[in-house]
Every structure is written in structure tokens, then in C-alpha cells.
Amino acid sequence: MQLAILLYDRFTSLDAVGPFELLSRLPGAETVFVAEKAGPVRNDQDNLSLVADRSLAEVPAPDIVLVPGGPGSRRALADETLLEWLRTADATSTWTTSVCTGSLVLAGAGLLKGRRAASHWLSLDLLGRLGAEPTGERVVFDGKYVTAAGVSSGIDMALHLIGRIAGHEVAQTIQLLTEYDPQPPYDAGSPEKAPAEIVASWRAQGADDDTVRTGGR
Amino acid sequence: MQLAILLYDRFTSLDAVGPFELLSRLPGAETVFVAEKAGPVRNDQDNLSLVADRSLAEVPAPDIVLVPGGPGSRRALADETLLEWLRTADATSTWTTSVCTGSLVLAGAGLLKGRRAASHWLSLDLLGRLGAEPTGERVVFDGKYVTAAGVSSGIDMALHLIGRIAGHEVAQTIQLLTEYDPQPPYDAGSPEKAPAEIVASWRAQGADDDTVRTGGR
């Protein structure tokens, strides 16, 4: 079972590495990071490069496709080389997945038309304009399409997916080995729970491209 | 404020990238990945390289040091070049931190003598033999030393640390922007909560080096 994680310029690191850390522990999984060209790909904050071991052309038919989000998703969702690879990979994939604004890229490829899908809470409107049916849920399954909300939600998505693929015991084992027993000291992880003034301030900035660097969308 | 994240051969990716994604959003933070030599460093599963932008020698006095864990920690905790860098960096750091078995490396450098510290649940005994006072807690503050339990716990550690450094509102903002509103579908993230037979099976394998690859310790 081959898992391909797509990298593109200005992706958000945790969107990719969170679900990677869990999914790559699936028994029998071969995980490969891919990008238009093999080599280092820079993140959204310009302070970390992940290496794509293979080019898109070398990985035409993965079983699982994972598209992370990030400010670079705005360019990626109109990059015909990426989109064509996604359409081809999706034609034979078992699961096509995204984290955060990775769903915008799937939508740009035309893969989420009329499908329920998640995204970063500040990008749900744009997801709708791209033809999907946005929901504020954290992890959304619609057929073989699995989309997660912002950044850290990819970890929850991975556990759900591992349960579907390999069963509850494997998923629980991977949860135990990665000690995923979250105990955040605050309860501000969604717009429904965070202090209203923080949410309002980010919604007001929502259309401003400069804010996405800090927001990691 | 400079944050240095140490990479070494066979580190666990999420140990580094989880807290990185949150801490690097601290206002005024400059984050740099470092390793003995600058360049790509391979992870524990041999399927991902992160690039260290700078060598240890180039980053002698970071304000925050973060040491991830991984099977490679067993070699790192006796690597005099790494340990000497850690001792020097620690002499002027504001915070010296670790995730998972990164605490073994801090202990190997002699920095946790008699200090309460966390580690991956399967490595707490070894942490004790290295001179620290191991605890099963998820995030442990002892003076300027902050240690987290296995893999994903670095995200919680980052939020705690951001709160201490920049206050609750900044921490809540970063939690909101990374949508850290965990909703794992299972409750198996610690040895107290996971099914007993899974825990027992991993405890029995605890001393077997081959298991650490899958366990990511």
C-alpha cells in the first residue's frame, strides 16, 4: 500500500507531518513524499524544508493521496501540473485525502464537486466557491474522499483512516505509540470555542493575503 | 528570540514538527533547524528527510533549545559533539526542552540530574537510569527544563510554553489558527487508557531494539 504525500511551495509543515507520522506506521505502508521535482520544498514560514524523495512522474498511482494545506494552496489550486497529477492519481486511488486548505487544491482539480468537505475555518467560504459543500466538521468522509479541518486536525483524520483500513486495534496501537492523549491547556481550538474577539479579529483579516503567513492557511 | 530545533539521524518527525508548528508562530521568533552538519537529516522510518539549515557551530546560543526523540536518541545520548553543543547552548538558554526520548539526550548531557522529567512511556526506566526523576505526566516544567511525553505531546508542550512566554491570548490565537481542537476517535493515547493487552505486548517488547522502529521511540 503506497501513501503519497504531496509537497508544494509554502505548504504548512504540520499538515503533512501530523498524519504522516501515524499513517506511515500502517502495517505494509510505503510512504513517499512527492513534489513536481524531487528535492527540498520550502514551508509557509520559510524556515523548514522537507525533502520530496520522488517527483510526481515517479509516483503515478498511489493507493492513498494526501494533500496538505498552506498559503501556497492558493497557487497550487491553479497549477495544472499538480492538478493533472491529482486527477490521474485519484482515478486509481483507494483514498484521496487532504488537511486544512489542501481541500482547496482537491477542489481545484475538480474532485470535490458537490461533495461534503472540510478545510481551515477561515477558508470554508472559498471551498464552497470551488464547488464543494463545506462543513465545519473536523474530519469528513464522503466516499473515498477524506478531508480534515485546519493544520492539527490531520492527526485525527489519520486515526479515523487507520481504523477504516486496518481496524480499531491497529489504530489504538498507533495512538498509544505516538502517545496521542491530547491535553491542551486551553480550549480555543475552533472558532466556536476560542474567545470571540480573537475569532472576530481573524475573520476581519480573512481576505488579507498577508495574514495567511501567520495563520498558516 | 531564537528557537533551535536539533535534528539527528533517526529522529521522529512529529516530535520536531509538532511543537515547531506552534512555537515558530511566537511573535518575534526566529526558528532554525540545526544538526551536526547542515543538510538533510533522515527520520526513524527512513522515509522523510528534514533539512537542517544550519550546523551546530553556527547556532551556539539559542534562546530556546528543542530536542526531539526517536530511535536515534540511543546513539545521540552518547554523541559527544551533540552533548557538548547542548551543554553550551543550555548555559545561556532561557528554555531547554525535549519531546519523547529527546529527554534521554538531555539526560545524557547531564542536564536533567535530579530533575523531574517526561519521556515516551516505554523509556521512563532508562530516563531514570540516566539520572533524571521520570514522571508519567504529559508535560513537565522543572525550572527552565520542559520535557514532554511521547511524540504528539510536544504540541501540548508548545502551547504551555507559548502561554508562559507570550501570555494566554497569544497561545489561544495559535491554538485557534492551527485548529488544535483534538477529537481522536479512540481513547488509547496513554498506557493507562489503552487496552491492557496492547500495552502489555509493547512492554514485553520494550527491551527489543527492533521494535523501536515501529514504536518511534
Side-chain angles (χ1 to χ4, degrees), chain A residues 18-32:
Chain A
F20 156 74
E21 191 64 63
L22 281 73
L23 285 169
S24 60
R25 294 168 191 245
L26 266 168
E30 179 218 347
T31 305
V32 57

Side-chain angles (χ1 to χ4, degrees), chain A residues 31-161:
Chain A
T31 305
V32 57
F33 282 80
V34 298
E36 208 154 319
K37 288 188 297 189
V41 182
R42 203 67 172 165
N43 77 336
D44 50 355
Q45 301 188 66
D46 193 19
N47 52 12
L48 175 61
S49 298
L50 266 59
V51 178
D53 282 339
R54 312 265 281 279
S55 70
L56 295 180
E58 293 175 292
V59 184
D63 302 288
I64 307 176
V65 180
L66 191 152
V67 183
S73 61
R74 303 303 187 283
R75 177 173 294 184
L77 72 84
D79 177 331
E80 262 310 315
T81 308
L82 285 191
L83 300 183
E84 195 47 44
W85 178 80
L86 275 174
R87 289 183 202 109
T88 304
D90 178 68
T92 55
S93 72
T94 310
W95 300 99
T96 295
T97 76
S98 67
V99 178
C100 197
T101 50
S103 59
L104 303 179
V105 186
L106 292 184
L111 302 177
L112 296 181
K113 250 178 217 134
R115 293 193 180 274
R116 296 177 67 252
S119 195
H120 192 283
W121 62 279
L122 280 167
S123 294
L124 290 169
D125 288 351
L126 178 52
L127 181 63
R129 292 199 297 277
L130 290 167
E133 288 182 19
T135 93
E137 292 161 51
R138 189 156 174 85
V139 176
V140 177
F141 279 75
D142 186 336
K144 74 172 188 178
Y145 299 92
V146 193
T147 53
V151 192
S152 63
S153 60
I155 299 174
D156 290 330
M157 179 182 81
L159 270 185
H160 277 282
L161 198 50

Side-chain angles (χ1 to χ4, degrees), chain A residues 7 12-15 17-18 20-22 24-25 30-33 40 42-53 119-122 136 138-139 149-153 155-156 159-160 162-164 167-173 175-195 197-199 202 213-217, chain B residues 7 12-15 17-18 20-22 24-25 30-33 40 42-51 53 119-122 136 138-139 149-153 155-156 159-160 162-164 167-173 175-195 197-199 202 212-217:
Chain A
L7 297 179
T12 298
S13 310
L14 185 56
D15 291 19
V17 173
F20 156 74
E21 191 64 63
L22 281 73
S24 60
R25 294 168 191 245
E30 179 218 347
T31 305
V32 57
F33 282 80
R42 203 67 172 165
N43 77 336
D44 50 355
Q45 301 188 66
D46 193 19
N47 52 12
L48 175 61
S49 298
L50 266 59
V51 178
D53 282 339
S119 195
H120 192 283
W121 62 279
L122 280 167
R138 189 156 174 85
V139 176
V151 192
S152 63
S153 60
I155 299 174
D156 290 330
L159 270 185
H160 277 282
I162 291 166
R164 297 267 189 126
H168 300 325
E169 194 178 323
V170 170
Q172 289 171 313
T173 299
Q175 183 177 14
L176 174 63
L177 292 173
T178 55
E179 284 201 61
Y180 186 47
D181 180 25
Q183 297 168 27
Y186 307 97
D187 190 17
S190 78
E192 291 74 32
K193 295 176 177 177
E197 62 279 12
I198 298 178
V199 175
W202 282 90
R213 199 192 63 83
T214 322
R217 296 173 290 126
Chain B
L7 297 178
T12 297
S13 312
L14 184 56
D15 292 19
V17 173
F20 156 75
E21 191 65 63
L22 281 74
S24 59
R25 295 169 191 245
E30 178 218 349
T31 304
V32 56
F33 282 80
R42 202 67 172 165
N43 77 335
D44 52 354
Q45 301 186 67
D46 193 21
N47 52 13
L48 174 61
S49 298
L50 265 60
V51 178
D53 282 338
S119 194
H120 192 282
W121 62 278
L122 279 167
R138 191 158 173 85
V139 177
V151 191
S152 63
S153 60
I155 299 173
D156 290 329
L159 270 185
H160 278 280
I162 291 167
R164 296 268 190 124
H168 299 326
E169 193 176 324
V170 170
Q172 289 172 312
T173 300
Q175 182 177 15
L176 173 63
L177 292 174
T178 56
E179 281 200 65
Y180 186 47
D181 179 25
Q183 297 169 26
Y186 307 97
D187 190 16
S190 78
E192 292 73 33
K193 295 175 176 176
E197 61 280 10
I198 298 178
V199 176
W202 282 89
V212 301
R213 199 191 65 81
T214 323
R217 294 174 292 127

Side-chain angles (χ1 to χ4, degrees), chain B:
Chain B
M1 180 171 46
Q2 191 183 46
L3 162 64
I5 301 176
L6 178 67
L7 297 178
Y8 53 81
D9 201 40
R10 300 182 73 214
F11 72 100
T12 297
S13 312
L14 184 56
D15 292 19
V17 173
F20 156 75
E21 191 65 63
L22 281 74
L23 285 170
S24 59
R25 295 169 191 245
L26 266 168
E30 178 218 349
T31 304
V32 56
F33 282 80
V34 298
E36 208 155 317
K37 289 187 297 190
V41 182
R42 202 67 172 165
N43 77 335
D44 52 354
Q45 301 186 67
D46 193 21
N47 52 13
L48 174 61
S49 298
L50 265 60
V51 178
D53 282 338
R54 314 263 281 278
S55 70
L56 296 180
E58 292 175 292
V59 184
D63 301 288
I64 306 176
V65 180
L66 191 152
V67 183
S73 62
R74 303 304 186 284
R75 177 172 294 184
L77 71 84
D79 177 331
E80 262 311 314
T81 308
L82 285 191
L83 300 184
E84 196 46 45
W85 179 80
L86 275 174
R87 289 184 202 110
T88 304
D90 178 67
T92 54
S93 72
T94 309
W95 300 99
T96 295
T97 76
S98 68
V99 178
C100 196
T101 52
S103 59
L104 303 180
V105 186
L106 293 183
L111 302 176
L112 297 181
K113 251 176 215 133
R115 292 192 181 274
R116 296 177 68 253
S119 194
H120 192 282
W121 62 278
L122 279 167
S123 294
L124 290 170
D125 289 350
L126 178 52
L127 181 62
R129 292 199 296 278
L130 290 167
E133 287 182 20
T135 94
E137 292 162 51
R138 191 158 173 85
V139 177
V140 177
F141 279 74
D142 186 336
K144 75 172 187 178
Y145 299 91
V146 195
T147 53
V151 191
S152 63
S153 60
I155 299 173
D156 290 329
M157 180 183 80
L159 270 185
H160 278 280
L161 199 50
I162 291 167
R164 296 268 190 124
I165 293 171
H168 299 326
E169 193 176 324
V170 170
Q172 289 172 312
T173 300
I174 291 175
Q175 182 177 15
L176 173 63
L177 292 174
T178 56
E179 281 200 65
Y180 186 47
D181 179 25
Q183 297 169 26
Y186 307 97
D187 190 16
S190 78
E192 292 73 33
K193 295 175 176 176
E197 61 280 10
I198 298 178
V199 176
S201 146
W202 282 89
R203 281 206 199 278
Q205 293 174 61
D208 175 0
D209 248 1
D210 284 331
T211 64
V212 301
R213 199 191 65 81
T214 323
R217 294 174 292 127

